[in-house]
């Protein structure tokens, strides 16, 4: 089974990289782009067949290492 | 004062801080490799600057989970003083020894410059050789020094006097973010834990200890620790 983890900045946390990306897109001829938030995508290969167990383990991984919960949120998607 | 300086793959200021410690104590600190789960008993643990683990995932995130940091957390809980400088500040926040976190500089650029700092308190084992309100000049060199903590944590830091240093103008003013090189909340350059036995700061006092480096304002930090811990 695979887990796909998205790590994003919490609402209200300033995202200067997202802002810079937005400005660049506007300059490149994409005026429709408004607010941009960037984050991380992490794919994990898991030796686990039970979805509930896998989710609980990945939650723990997110809290311990993959996300800094002071400023980041995470979401988990299980595949396969 | 017996000190240990941690060394991670990618650390690069461990020699600078070891030299600063030797300058004020006359003895070389013990250098401790990140994979060592145990090391000699010391009076002070220093987590130096650099780019531990290539800043992978987040600055300090990987180093915070290393065997040596598990031991540092144990000793910090027993009251052993810990000083985290620059990447070391990022590592100790990631390890949960200090509140908040260090984000990308608001202007997205690496900043390498001398900055002015206002010493917020002299009531700590790290800052006892300074006066509260004193302005000192030391260098910074980082891309992720933008201190952030949620509103409740910020209030607690202010109320309990846990802010050690703030970026300021040459006259000590912090109005309108004066002297702030990275967008840091409330101009914070360094914070203590609630017992003031852990200090993390982005600037490099170890690079301002001898006149040939352009200033000696950082030396009192090391002298103060020696006085408190010897």
């Amino acid at each position: 089974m695979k887990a796909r983890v998205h790590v994003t900045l919490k609402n209200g946390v300033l995202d200067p990289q997202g802002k810079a990306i937005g400005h660049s897109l506007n300059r490149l001829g994409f005026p429709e782009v408004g607010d941009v938030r960037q984050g991380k995508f992490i794919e994990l290969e898991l030796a686990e067949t039970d979805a509930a167990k896998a989710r609980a383990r990945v939650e723990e991984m997110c809290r311990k290492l993959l996300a800094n919960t002071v400023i980041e949120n995470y979401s988990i998607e299980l595949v396969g | 004062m017996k000190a240990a300086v941690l060394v991670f793959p990618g650390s690069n200021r461990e020699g600078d801080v070891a030299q600063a410690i030797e300058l004020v104590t006359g003895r070389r600190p013990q250098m401790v490799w990140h994979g060592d789960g145990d090391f000699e008993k010391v009076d002070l643990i220093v987590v130096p600057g650099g780019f531990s683990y290539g800043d992978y995932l987040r600055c300090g995130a990987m180093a915070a989970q290393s065997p040596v940091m598990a031991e540092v957390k144990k000793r910090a809980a027993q009251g052993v003083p810990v000083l985290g400088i620059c990447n070391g500040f990022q590592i100790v926040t990631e390890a949960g020894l200090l509140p908040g976190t260090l984000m990308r500089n608001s202007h997205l650029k690496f900043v390498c410059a001398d900055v002015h700092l206002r010493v917020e308190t002299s009531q700590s084992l790290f800052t006892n050789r300074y006066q509260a309100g004193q302005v000192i000049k030391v260098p910074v060199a980082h891309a992720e020094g933008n201190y952030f903590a949620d509103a409740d944590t910020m209030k607690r830091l202010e109320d309990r006097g846990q802010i050690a240093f703030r970026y300021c103008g040459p006259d000590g003013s912090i109005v309108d973010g004066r002297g702030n090189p990275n967008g840091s909340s409330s101009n914070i350059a360094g914070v203590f834990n609630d017992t003031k036995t852990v200090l993390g700061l982005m600037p490099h006092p170890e690079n301002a200890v001898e006149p040939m480096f352009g200033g000696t304002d950082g030396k009192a930090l090391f002298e103060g620790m020696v006085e408190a811990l010897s």
Side-chain angles (χ1 to χ4, degrees), chain A residues 9 13-14 16-17 20 40 42 64-68 70-72, chain B residues 57-58 61-62 65 94 100-101 103-106 108 148-150:
Chain A
L9 285 171
V13 174
L14 185 70
Q17 294 184 81
K40 292 188 188 91
I42 302 163
K64 279 195 171 160
L65 181 67
L66 302 181
N68 180 338
V70 176
I71 49 167
E72 293 172 329
Chain B
L57 193 64
R58 295 178 306 276
M62 314 297 276
Q65 307 301 331
E94 281 282 346
T101 192
M103 296 181 49
R104 193 76 184 268
N105 293 348
S106 57
L108 295 174
F148 178 89
D150 61 48

Side-chain angles (χ1 to χ4, degrees), chain A residues 39-52:
Chain A
K40 292 188 188 91
F41 171 69
I42 302 163
E43 195 170 70
L44 307 166
E45 194 82 55
L46 299 174
E48 173 63 73
T49 49
D50 184 304

Side-chain angles (χ1 to χ4, degrees), chain B residues 33-57:
Chain B
W33 184 238
H34 70 112
D36 294 343
D38 198 10
F39 54 95
E40 204 186 322
K41 202 163 162 261
V42 290
D43 308 307
L44 169 74
I45 299 167
V46 180
V47 191
F51 300 86
S52 59
Y53 296 87
D55 282 347
Y56 290 176
L57 193 64

